[in-house]
Amino acid sequence: MLTNEKQERGQVEPSDLQLIERVKEGDMRSFEMIMNRHKAKVAAVIFGMISDTDSAEDIGQEVFIRFFKTIGNFKGDAELSTYLIRIAINLSINELNRNRKRALVPLEKMSTAETAGISDGNDSSENNELKEVLDKAIHLLDPKYKKVIVLRLVNGYSTKETAEILNLPMGTVLSRLARGQKKLQQMLEPYVKN
Amino acid sequence: MNRLKRIMYKSLEMKLSPREQQRLDRAMEKSPQLRRELFLVKEIRSAVQQPKNSFSPWFETKVIHKINTLGNPERIGLSPLLQTYRTATLIGLVAIAAVIVVALVLNGSLSLEATTGLETINAENLTAFLAFEY
């Protein structure tokens, strides 16, 4: 809406590369604009990877601080959002590795209420429970499967975009996606009603 | 993971070739286990949801504050020591500039006497100065 109004008034939003050039000249307002433009995508990836809200916020800040420190290295070969998401995924995986023991809560330890299972009905409380269990199951995945699952299924990027972000061949993305889903299906199987 | 399973998962991502589709359809007809697995995976895919979380308000301000606290060596291009004492350095430079300007205006000269307000000092003058003036 705001963009449309600006376009009607003849104001064109500066591109990411234009903003980056301004930041290099010391314009912090442009850096704020970059953050404002990309923080939602960065947040979606980090919150998909990390369940702890406080850590996710810290990682989000670290993503943009790292980008600022190395802004001279950004050549524009990839989209800025792709570049930022790569930093976000790497930092999230570092965090997961640091807290691996804490993160590995076995699915079996969840309460029965949390693992009520899938039914063919439209009971919304059961659906919410399934979503909760599924969220926990995703967090138990190995990071190499988890990042593909989060980008493709949680964040809704296409397989091609996921491959580009992770800098992996399409075949590898499809294979990890299949294995990740298989693992999720195996983890959830005991809790699913016939 | 066998080839049939790979085809099944591939079908969730892209259109299969007619031959692959035919093979999958035939296997699905025969195997209730495969049908259940596909049902479950589809349920999982539809249940996976985008987290509603977003960063807290003033996110940008917090990041800018952290950046300002950390400093930016690349952009400023000064040594860490000079950056640490940047304020003191600037005040010193301004003071020196002020002394030079005052000396020039009052004396029209930048000699040591003019800028410090002292005449040429030697040991004898200094002793006399300290003995008689103080």
Side-chain angles (χ1 to χ4, degrees), chain A residues 20-148:
Chain A
I20 287 168
E21 285 309 312
R22 290 182 201 170
V23 175
K24 284 179 185 172
E25 289 162 11
D27 179 6
M28 293 307 282
R29 180 81 195 99
S30 294
F31 192 68
E32 266 188 76
M33 285 173 76
I34 289 174
M35 284 193 278
N36 193 269
R37 196 176 279 182
H38 296 286
K39 69 177 177 182
K41 282 183 179 178
V42 169
V45 171
I46 298 171
F47 281 109
M49 296 286 290
I50 307 269
S51 48
D52 176 18
T53 311
D54 289 338
S55 300
E57 174 91 20
D58 289 344
I59 292 168
Q61 291 182 12
E62 186 60 26
V63 167
F64 286 102
I65 291 169
R66 286 217 181 176
F67 170 60
F68 182 80
K69 282 180 176 173
T70 57
I71 200 161
N73 298 344
F74 183 77
K75 306 291 180 218
D77 300 334
E79 292 282 322
L80 179 57
S81 57
T82 304
Y83 188 80
L84 291 170
I85 290 168
R86 278 180 194 156
I87 301 176
I89 287 176
N90 289 335
L91 291 178
S92 301
I93 289 174
N94 290 347
E95 176 69 13
L96 289 174
N97 289 337
R98 265 199 299 274
N99 299 319
R100 196 155 182 77
K101 281 183 186 169
R102 196 180 65 188
L104 289 176
V105 179
L107 213 59
E108 293 78 20
K109 287 201 174 173
M110 290 178 201
S111 69
T112 46
E114 282 179 311
T115 55
I118 304 168
S119 74
D120 290 335
N122 287 326
D123 188 335
S124 63
S125 71
E126 281 189 350
N127 281 339
N128 288 338
E129 282 157 10
L130 166 67
K131 282 169 184 169
E132 212 174 304
V133 176
L134 185 54
D135 186 47
K136 290 183 179 171
I138 289 173
H139 286 292
L140 292 176
L141 287 175
D142 182 294
K144 77 175 177 183
Y145 300 122
K146 187 176 185 176
K147 57 189 179 183
V148 175

Side-chain angles (χ1 to χ4, degrees), chain A residues 37-46 48-49 79-86 88-89 146-166 170 173-174 177, chain B residues 12-13 45 48 50-51:
Chain A
R37 196 176 279 182
H38 296 286
K39 69 177 177 182
K41 282 183 179 178
V42 169
V45 171
I46 298 171
M49 296 286 290
E79 292 282 322
L80 179 57
S81 57
T82 304
Y83 188 80
L84 291 170
I85 290 168
R86 278 180 194 156
I89 287 176
K146 187 176 185 176
K147 57 189 179 183
V148 175
I149 294 281
V150 167
L151 288 173
R152 173 68 190 98
L153 301 186
V154 180
N155 296 161
Y157 290 100
S158 68
T159 40
K160 193 182 166 197
E161 286 167 332
T162 304
E164 196 188 321
I165 291 169
L166 297 175
M170 272 279 275
V173 168
L174 287 171
L177 193 55
Chain B
L12 298 166
E13 292 299 319
R45 288 171 70 100
V48 164
Q50 177 70 45

